[in-house]
Amino acid sequence: MCAATENEILDHQQCQPSPQPQNGVDLVCDRSKILPPFSVVLATVLYFAEFISAAIICSMYNETDDRVWMGLTITFMLVPAVLIQLALTFIHRDLGRDRPLVLFLHLLLLGPLIRCIEALVIYFQAGRKEEPYVTISRKIKLKNGQGTPMEWEIGHSERKLAAHRNAFKRTAVIQAFLGSTPQLTLQLYATIQEKYLLNARVVLIAITLVSITYGAVVCSVLAIQIKYDDYKVRLRPVAYVCMALWRGLEIATRTTALVLFSTALTYWVVPVGLANLLFFFFLPWVEFWRRKASLPENVEKNMSKLGTTVVLCMVTFLYACINIFCWSAVQLNLAHRDLIEKQMSWGRLALYYSARFLENVFLVLMWYFFKTDFYEYVCSPLLAVQLLIGYSLAVLFMMLFYQYCHPCRRLFRHNVADCLRCVCCRRDARSLPSTPSDAAAAAETLPLPPDLTSQLGDYEAAFRGGRGRGLSGPLFGVARRDGEKKKAPADELFLP
């Protein structure tokens, strides 16, 4: 099992360390009651709610003979549903197992339902009889900036529930950015073009917005768990609230800007969307080719080079779709077996939000100058200012999250406040005297600007061993087959 699975398990256990640590490692022997799989139930409810609402809208479009709206709604309803079935089958490795009923339900697009039922059955049956632990997992617990190695005993029920939670986290991201975002954009555009609201359409818009926000929050949490897989990651409720406000405002303003632009310049929105998609799709591949690297070897035992390339293309496509609407929180590195760049650059984050802000300003300005008569009774300048303020608030909540709410913020070599002070230092440096003696004296008093190329500190690097897991690693969350073993490094024992 992947490291993200261990984070899932450890997040749902209450730690009771032994009073006598062995070799500086606290052993947690008492496994507490397992928490309900709320994330699995929520992802399943959002999946079926959006699917049923979209089906009702399609029937209404069929009655009014709106073939174009109906065709696009069906496409954005079925494509993510099929991809979710494939993802669940791939993660749980059901093709090599004798489970005909499960595969049949996946063919009927009911895979999330049977998976949710399986998770609930495991939860209600857990604790009825004592289970021997499967393995021992070692994580580093952060407290006041100090790391304490700790060990947890992992049982069968915890492992199975963690596998289900991991799978539904990935499907929530797929549902949000391959289904909900285009569906939301389409329904908003159809509402403006038809100049009236349907109750069923309003319900679908609300469900898609909730699904996108939830998927974006899950994407941020997954990014944290993957980057800090050696640490026990636990987010506080205020962190989830901050992430929800950050992601909700970012996606809402971005989607509104695209919809407004499409109503004014309908045919020009296609090249804008394709330019964004192609740029973020080919960016990881260009970096891969520039490094002159090769595909990771032995990333999956039963997968050929062609299969690996197809899966990587699907991953980069999802990565591009996420970045069209919001920051993906990860940077792909196709040359690495983990496929993730562990050291995120603050400069790339600032460049993304600066470019996205300028693009939103451009889209809103184009809409303002070429808007249709539908906005005759709308205060256009006020709407434009509200959109820009909303996106600025999203950036503000993002900065607050990284500064105060990030669970591993003490590992940062430099934080948001350091970046802002760096900008001020550069401005003050322009007024420094140019003589060598004065410059040397000023260098002793002024702090050097921080190096923003690395986010992680030396403390974290001391615990990382550069392990790679490939397609069965933390990005994919693929469960191991029964009996499949993995040699664990000396500093950490992983789930089998």
Side-chain angles (χ1 to χ4, degrees):
M1 191 78 65
C2 60
T5 304
E6 295 184 44
N7 277 316
E8 276 296 328
I9 294 172
L10 303 182
D11 286 344
H12 292 83
Q13 290 183 338
Q14 296 177 358
C15 305
Q16 298 181 8
S18 61
Q20 296 179 354
Q22 301 178 357
N23 299 326
V25 179
D26 293 334
L27 178 62
V28 179
C29 299
D30 186 14
R31 298 192 302 275
S32 61
K33 184 179 179 181
I34 303 175
L35 294 180
F38 291 117
S39 59
V40 175
V41 177
L42 179 57
T44 305
V45 170
L46 289 176
Y47 169 80
F48 282 104
E50 183 174 344
F51 192 92
I52 295 173
S53 301
I56 295 174
I57 288 291
C58 289
S59 64
M60 299 178 66
Y61 286 150
N62 186 34
E63 294 176 357
T64 57
D65 202 24
D66 292 328
R67 301 299 180 185
V68 177
W69 303 139
M70 183 182 68
L72 292 175
T73 304
I74 292 176
T75 300
F76 299 145
M77 175 182 66
L78 292 181
V79 170
V82 173
L83 292 178
I84 286 175
Q85 313 307 315
L86 295 176
L88 288 175
T89 305
F90 176 77
I91 292 174
H92 289 281
R93 298 190 176 188
D94 286 328
L95 293 178
R97 302 164 64 183
D98 187 15
R99 305 188 69 184
L101 177 60
V102 174
L103 295 177
F104 177 71
L105 291 176
H106 276 294
L107 292 176
L108 298 179
L109 304 182
L110 297 177
L113 178 62
I114 188 63
R115 302 293 183 182
C116 181
I117 294 176
E118 287 180 356
L120 292 176
V121 170
I122 294 172
Y123 165 71
F124 286 113
Q125 290 182 349
R128 293 188 177 182
K129 59 181 180 180
E130 186 177 357
E131 299 179 354
Y133 69 88
V134 178
T135 187
I136 295 178
S137 172
R138 175 177 292 181
K139 290 285 181 179
I140 301 173
K141 182 180 180 181
L142 285 176
K143 187 175 182 180
N144 298 326
Q146 300 295 326
T148 303
M150 303 185 71
E151 291 181 349
W152 284 265
E153 294 180 352
I154 307 301
H156 288 281
S157 299
E158 292 96 331
R159 182 184 65 172
K160 293 178 181 178
L161 277 179
H164 283 289
R165 289 191 181 99
N166 268 334
F168 275 88
K169 279 186 176 182
R170 275 108 182 133
T171 58
V173 176
I174 295 174
Q175 176 71 28
F177 294 100
L178 297 184
S180 299
T181 46
Q183 192 74 266
L184 175 62
T185 306
L186 172 65
Q187 301 306 324
L188 288 175
Y189 180 79
T191 301
I192 295 176
Q193 291 297 103
E194 296 183 353
K195 298 180 176 61
Y196 65 89
L197 283 173
L198 295 173
N199 293 331
R201 187 184 289 158
V202 173
V203 172
L204 180 57
I205 290 174
I207 293 174
T208 53
L209 186 58
V210 173
S211 176
I212 298 169
T213 304
Y214 175 71
V217 172
V218 168
C219 186
S220 300
V221 174
L222 280 175
I224 295 173
Q225 291 180 348
I226 292 173
K227 290 179 180 179
Y228 303 95
D229 57 348
D230 288 337
Y231 295 85
K232 181 188 175 185
V233 177
R234 185 185 297 274
L235 279 81
R236 297 176 298 172
V238 65
Y240 285 105
V241 174
C242 190
M243 279 195 297
L245 293 173
W246 159 29
R247 293 304 198 175
L249 288 171
E250 180 181 7
I251 293 170
T253 53
R254 172 64 176 171
T255 306
T256 305
L258 287 173
V259 171
L260 293 178
F261 178 78
S262 63
T263 57
L265 301 170
T266 304
Y267 298 104
W268 283 98
V269 73
V270 176
V272 171
L274 284 179
N276 279 272
L277 180 65
L278 295 177
F279 175 79
F280 288 108
F281 179 82
F282 285 107
L283 180 62
W285 291 103
V286 170
E287 295 177 349
F288 173 77
W289 291 325
R290 192 178 64 179
R291 294 189 180 103
K292 297 181 180 179
S294 58
L295 292 176
E297 297 181 357
N298 299 325
V299 292
E300 184 64 20
K301 185 186 300 182
N302 299 326
M303 189 171 292
S304 61
K305 284 289 185 180
L306 178 60
T308 301
T309 305
V310 172
V311 173
L312 292 181
C313 288
M314 295 179 64
V315 171
T316 51
F317 180 75
L318 178 61
Y319 172 79
C321 293
I322 295 173
N323 280 282
I324 290 176
F325 292 92
C326 66
W327 171 247
S328 62
V330 294
Q331 179 182 348
L332 290 183
N333 183 4
L334 302 180
H336 197 273
R337 291 190 63 186
D338 277 344
L339 305 179
I340 294 295
E341 191 70 45
K342 296 295 183 72
Q343 297 183 352
M344 185 186 69
S345 173
W346 282 103
R348 176 166 291 203
L349 177 65
L351 179 62
Y352 174 86
Y353 276 101
S354 299
R356 189 63 74 205
F357 182 81
L358 294 177
E359 184 185 2
N360 288 340
V361 170
F362 172 78
L363 295 177
V364 172
L365 287 177
M366 291 297 100
W367 163 77
Y368 181 78
F369 289 112
F370 297 96
K371 61 180 180 293
T372 60
D373 297 336
F374 175 77
Y375 304 98
E376 182 179 357
Y377 300 100
V378 177
C379 184
S380 301
L382 179 61
L383 180 58
V385 172
Q386 287 176 343
L387 290 175
L388 299 181
I389 292 177
Y391 197 82
S392 301
L393 288 176
V395 177
L396 176 62
F397 281 112
M398 181 268 296
M399 297 171 66
L400 291 176
F401 172 77
Y402 280 106
Q403 180 68 25
Y404 300 107
C405 302
H406 197 285
C408 300
R409 62 187 181 277
R410 295 184 182 274
L411 298 177
F412 293 174
R413 180 176 299 172
H414 301 291
N415 53 25
V416 177
D418 294 330
C419 295
L420 297 178
R421 281 196 294 266
C422 176
V423 175
C424 297
C425 291
R426 289 178 179 178
R427 291 180 178 177
D428 296 339
R430 297 176 181 176
S431 60
L432 293 178
S434 58
T435 60
S437 58
D438 293 339
E444 298 178 357
T445 58
L446 288 177
L448 293 175
D451 181 16
L452 304 181
T453 59
S454 176
Q455 184 188 11
L456 306 179
D458 297 332
Y459 181 80
E460 181 184 8
F463 288 97
R464 292 191 178 275
R467 296 182 301 276
R469 302 174 187 87
L471 297 186
S472 60
L475 181 61
F476 293 89
V478 179
R480 288 192 213 287
R481 295 187 179 92
D482 296 336
E484 185 176 350
K485 297 182 180 179
K486 176 180 178 179
K487 183 178 179 182
D491 64 332
E492 181 175 359
L493 297 176
F494 289 93
L495 291 172

